[in-house]
């Protein structure tokens, strides 16, 4: 199902995983700055709620349920955005997946493949669709929302999750090496612990006191918009964000169980 609030002004931003957490927060923050925001994700009801929040923020949205691991779905979503609003010049890849079964002793290869499909291959698929329009425009920003465990090895984050998120760094580096000349910049954004519903995928779900020390989805949204709003001659290749810890050495961040 596709719905939109029509307006042809403002840059076009496509947010995957827009139905919750960091994707939702980024969509609402971008709307406040005048972006037209295309919202995609698997859950139509969650996307509708994000669209309501975008409208409350005075923004414009286009909603389309989409499985980012399905090329036909991604192509159809991109064609709809292109036909309704024109080229996508800002992309936030926020769709992600993990599992409580994170170790070689208990993981399955089928789940490993599903996680890699969602976290890595789906991101590359969306980028592949938007790059021609960005090249034609001579302008584009891609933010790959990764993880602290994609920047520094985190033993409890999961075999598949760590591998797929680490690979996003290479995706960003290759984009910058090959596409900076076309005005396209990519950022590998690596948040530490963030208090979102994604925490339910952990073997042990953190309690209220632990969540109070974490980053919020709005913290990540501000970081994404910092990257998006930077001047065109500035490429923020990688950005690592971690919560301060009140009960430990200054500047130290827990890396256990990320994702």
């Amino acid at each position: 199902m596709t719905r939109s609030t029509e307006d042809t002004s403002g840059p076009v931003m496509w947010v995957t995983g827009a139905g919750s957490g960091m994707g939702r927060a980024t969509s609402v923050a971008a709307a406040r700055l005048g972006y037209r925001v295309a919202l995609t994700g698997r859950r139509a009801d969650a996307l509708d709620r994000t669209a309501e929040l975008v409208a409350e923020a005075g923004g414009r949205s286009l909603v389309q349920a989409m499985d980012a691991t399905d090329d036909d779905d991604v192509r159809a979503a991109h064609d709809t955005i292109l036909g309704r609003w024109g080229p996508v010049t800002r992309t936030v890849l926020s769709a992600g997946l993990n599992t409580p079964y994170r170790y070689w002793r208990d993981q399955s290869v089928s789940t490993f493949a599903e996680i890699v499909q969602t976290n890595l291959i789906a991101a590359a698929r969306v980028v592949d669709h938007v790059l021609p329009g960005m090249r034609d425009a001579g302008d584009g920003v891609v933010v790959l929302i990764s993880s602290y465990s994609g920047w520094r090895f985190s033993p409890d984050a999961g075999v598949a999750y760590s591998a797929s998120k680490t690979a996003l760094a290479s995706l960003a580096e290759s984009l910058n090496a090959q596409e900076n000349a076309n005005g396209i910049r990519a950022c590998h954004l690596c948040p530490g612990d963030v208090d979102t519903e994604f925490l339910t995928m952990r073997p042990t779900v953190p309690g209220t006191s632990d969540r109070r020390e974490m980053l919020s989805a709005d913290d990540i949204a501000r970081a994404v918009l910092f990257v998006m709003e930077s001047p065109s001659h500035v490429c923020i290749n990688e950005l690592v964000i971690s919560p301060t810890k009140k009960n430990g050495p200054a500047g130290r961040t827990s890396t256990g169980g990320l994702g």
Side-chain angles (χ1 to χ4, degrees), residues 18-155:
S20 64
M22 293 178 277
R24 171 177 286 175
T26 297
S27 300
V28 175
R32 293 193 184 104
L33 294 181
Y35 289 86
R36 290 175 285 163
V37 190
L39 312 170
T40 63
R42 296 185 182 185
R43 298 177 297 163
D45 57 340
L47 293 174
D48 284 341
R49 177 54 185 153
T50 301
E52 290 173 1
L53 294 171
V54 166
E56 290 171 10
R60 297 139 294 168
S61 65
L62 185 155
V63 175
Q64 186 158 337
M66 180 194 85
D67 180 352
T69 68
D70 185 304
D71 192 58
D72 289 339
D73 265 16
V74 176
R75 179 179 292 104
H78 179 252
D79 287 348
T80 298
I81 300 165
L82 189 64
R84 196 72 60 85
W85 281 348
V88 175
T89 58
R90 300 291 183 270
T91 302
V92 181
L93 300 159
S94 181
L97 183 65
N98 205 349
T99 175
Y101 305 103
R102 301 184 171 198
Y103 306 99
W104 285 103
R105 66 177 179 265
D106 59 9
Q107 71 171 359
S108 70
V109 172
S110 60
T111 301
F112 185 103
E114 186 180 4
I115 291 169
V116 173
Q117 279 282 348
T118 300
N119 295 350
L120 176 61
I121 297 174
R125 179 178 289 111
V126 171
V127 171
D128 193 60
H129 280 284
V130 300
L131 273 179
M134 289 182 174
R135 291 190 191 108
D136 288 344
D139 175 51
V141 181
V142 176
V143 175
L144 300 136
I145 296 186
S146 182
S147 168
Y148 196 95
S149 61
W151 174 69
R152 179 175 293 172
F153 177 67
S154 306

Side-chain angles (χ1 to χ4, degrees), residues 201-232:
M201 297 182 187
R202 290 191 178 183
T204 302
V205 178
T208 302
S209 60
D210 289 328
R211 288 171 182 260
R212 277 198 292 263
E213 291 194 353
M214 295 182 181
L215 300 167
S216 70
D218 289 334
D219 294 329
I220 307 310
R222 282 191 292 270
V224 172
L225 268 297
F226 166 70
V227 175
M228 292 291 179
E229 293 288 290
S230 292
S232 60

Side-chain angles (χ1 to χ4, degrees), residues 158-170:
V159 179
Y161 187 82
S162 292
S164 58
K165 291 298 189 179
T166 300
L168 290 178
S170 295

